[in-house]
Amino acid sequence: QVQLVESGGGLVQAGGSRRLSCAASGRTFSSYALGWFRQAPGKQRDFVSAISLSGDNTYYADSVKGRFTISRDNAKNTMYLQMNSLKPEDTAVYFCAATPSYYSRSVYYTEYEYTYWGQGTQVTVSS
């Protein structure tokens, strides 16, 4: 079982940057494919980005492509989301998620494919 804790959220001005972290418990972190999702007020939870077991394959939603970068450090049991050129429409609660994977390069972009979820961290982008 994996427990996930997000951090790094906060208030940032439009055009600014923020880095989110997702720390995981457990000794098998490298066996989990990971992802980031976000949920704006009154909206459904949407996919943001995903990363494979070793980090050599990544996938992004079109809305964040070129602005956000996902990465992971398996030695530190931590995943990151570097967010640049932030826009007010990026305002949301950001969730990290994990799912066991047997395929080294697989990435998953629907929430139904993920088994474990963090509690979320709020990111607010002011205009």
Side-chain angles (χ1 to χ4, degrees), residues 36-58:
W36 287 99
F37 290 75
R38 67 185 181 185
Q39 187 168 23
K43 296 188 177 181
Q44 66 183 18
R45 188 158 56 185
D46 291 330
F47 168 77
V48 174
S49 184
I51 190 165
S52 59
L53 297 182
S54 61
D56 59 349
N57 192 23
T58 59

Side-chain angles (χ1 to χ4, degrees), residues 2-125:
V2 175
Q3 291 185 327
L4 305 172
V5 179
E6 304 93 338
S7 62
L11 177 65
V12 61
Q13 288 188 332
S17 298
R18 201 81 181 181
R19 189 176 82 157
L20 304 183
S21 299
C22 174
S25 64
R27 294 175 291 177
T28 58
F29 181 73
S30 59
S31 300
Y32 292 85
L34 306 172
W36 287 99
F37 290 75
R38 67 185 181 185
Q39 187 168 23
K43 296 188 177 181
Q44 66 183 18
R45 188 158 56 185
D46 291 330
F47 168 77
V48 174
S49 184
I51 190 165
S52 59
L53 297 182
S54 61
D56 59 349
N57 192 23
T58 59
Y59 187 71
Y60 297 92
D62 288 343
S63 59
V64 306
K65 199 174 297 181
R67 301 188 297 122
F68 290 11
T69 302
I70 190 172
S71 61
R72 64 188 294 169
D73 186 337
N74 287 342
K76 295 182 178 179
N77 282 16
T78 303
M79 173 177 64
Y80 305 98
L81 185 68
Q82 178 66 43
M83 306 184 295
N84 299 328
S85 302
L86 283 162
K87 305 175 182 179
E89 50 263 44
D90 294 319
T91 295
V93 177
Y94 283 72
F95 299 89
C96 63
T99 190
S101 180
Y102 300 99
Y103 305 101
S104 62
R105 288 184 55 80
S106 291
V107 291
Y108 305 95
Y109 50 90
T110 68
E111 60 180 309
Y112 307 106
E113 296 175 287
Y114 286 90
T115 306
Y116 304 105
W117 292 84
Q119 292 300 306
T121 185
Q122 174 72 46
V123 174
T124 302
V125 183

